[in-house]
Amino acid sequence: MSTKETGLQTNQGDKEQREVLTKRVSEDISVYRNAEHPVDPLFIERWSSRSFADKPVSSETLYTVLEAARWAPSSSNLQPWRFVLAQTEEEHNLFQQFILPGNRLWTDKAPVLILIASDKRRDESGEINSAHKFDAGTAWGYLSIQANLLGLSTRAIGGFNRVKASEVLGLPEYIEPHAVVALGYKGTIDQLDEKFHDKEKPTGRRTLDESILEIRKQ
């Protein structure tokens, strides 16, 4: 078989795979999002809702989500990610002290809040792990996908006072907070403050070509 024939077969296979995957993306999501290349629909259908239903998340479900994050890859397998959980009313009250007021309009309704942080140290000598932020972000990605597979919504926010978060939660200096993740079952739009109604929909993405940088020779 010639290279040309093989290429034609590959292109046809890609086209068929893309069509199959596209059909699996729900209609309400495909209004806003369409993949340029074949990808599992779970990546397209996960989006960051602000509306949460008045439904508790069991500890078993929460720990399944965190278990997925535990298996994220990390530099030298240092696993720098750390999580602080708010499930009880008392714990939520602590988080409310450092989340900015505008975000509390919807985070207060989320049954679970997770502070994602990372240990900056490479070892106990204090040497800095240059990949700690990158790896913590990877763990968040794993967490968000597992949550979506379980029918949960997640939204990560940076709108909180990091210094105050460290003080309120008693975090040591070498633990750096990055984001607060709201976790729960997706609610309806009427459960959300009117300020966010227009934003309560999946967001699109720039084209893949726009994210790929060309190598520029010096």
Side-chain angles (χ1 to χ4, degrees):
M1 184 179 292
S2 69
T3 303
K4 183 176 181 181
E5 289 173 330
T6 304
L8 288 173
Q9 284 193 348
T10 301
N11 290 339
Q12 181 63 30
D14 287 347
K15 181 179 179 182
E16 291 174 354
Q17 185 181 14
R18 186 179 298 109
E19 289 175 350
V20 169
L21 291 170
T22 299
K23 288 177 182 177
R24 287 170 55 195
V25 175
S26 58
E27 291 184 8
D28 57 333
I29 296 295
S30 63
V31 170
Y32 304 99
R33 295 178 163 188
N34 286 286
E36 295 179 353
H37 302 278
V39 65
D40 193 287
L42 71 91
F43 294 102
I44 308 299
E45 297 200 336
R46 193 221 69 81
W47 62 282
S48 301
S49 172
R50 291 181 176 86
S51 181
F52 292 95
D54 185 16
K55 178 181 178 180
V57 175
S58 70
S59 291
E60 180 181 0
T61 298
L62 172 59
Y63 276 79
T64 293
V65 170
L66 296 174
E67 178 70 13
R70 186 170 79 95
W71 289 101
S74 64
S75 175
S76 300
N77 196 31
L78 291 176
Q79 306 166 55
W81 46 78
R82 300 291 185 270
F83 311 113
V84 183
L85 311 178
Q87 295 175 271
T88 67
E89 182 178 355
E90 181 181 4
E91 291 164 347
H92 275 266
N93 289 339
L94 292 176
F95 274 59
Q96 288 168 5
Q97 293 181 43
F98 53 80
I99 295 176
L100 299 185
N103 286 322
R104 283 194 53 195
L105 292 173
W106 55 273
T107 58
D108 280 3
K109 297 180 181 180
V112 178
L113 296 174
I114 306 169
L115 175 73
I116 296 185
S118 59
D119 188 331
K120 298 185 290 185
R121 304 171 300 171
R122 185 170 183 81
D123 52 45
E124 292 187 359
S125 71
E127 180 184 354
I128 296 298
N129 170 15
S130 61
H132 72 94
K133 296 180 182 180
F134 181 83
D135 292 343
T138 304
W140 144 242
Y142 273 46
L143 183 157
S144 69
I145 293 297
Q146 180 60 64
N148 189 65
L149 288 170
L150 295 173
L152 294 160
S153 288
T154 52
R155 188 176 181 90
I157 62 169
F160 69 100
N161 187 315
R162 288 155 177 75
V163 173
K164 192 165 186 179
S166 295
E167 293 175 352
V168 169
L169 301 176
L171 303 180
E173 180 276 331
Y174 54 82
I175 298 295
E176 181 176 343
H178 300 299
V180 173
V181 175
L183 172 76
Y185 294 95
K186 190 174 182 298
T188 58
I189 197 165
D190 60 286
Q191 293 172 292
L192 187 63
D193 188 283
E194 289 185 6
K195 177 181 178 180
F196 302 107
H197 281 195
D198 290 342
K199 299 179 180 179
E200 188 63 4
K201 58 187 177 184
T203 53
R205 295 292 186 271
R206 69 170 71 93
T207 66
L208 182 57
D209 285 344
E210 291 177 279
S211 293
I212 298 176
L213 302 179
E214 294 184 2
I215 297 175
R216 298 184 181 276
K217 295 182 178 180
Q218 299 298 317

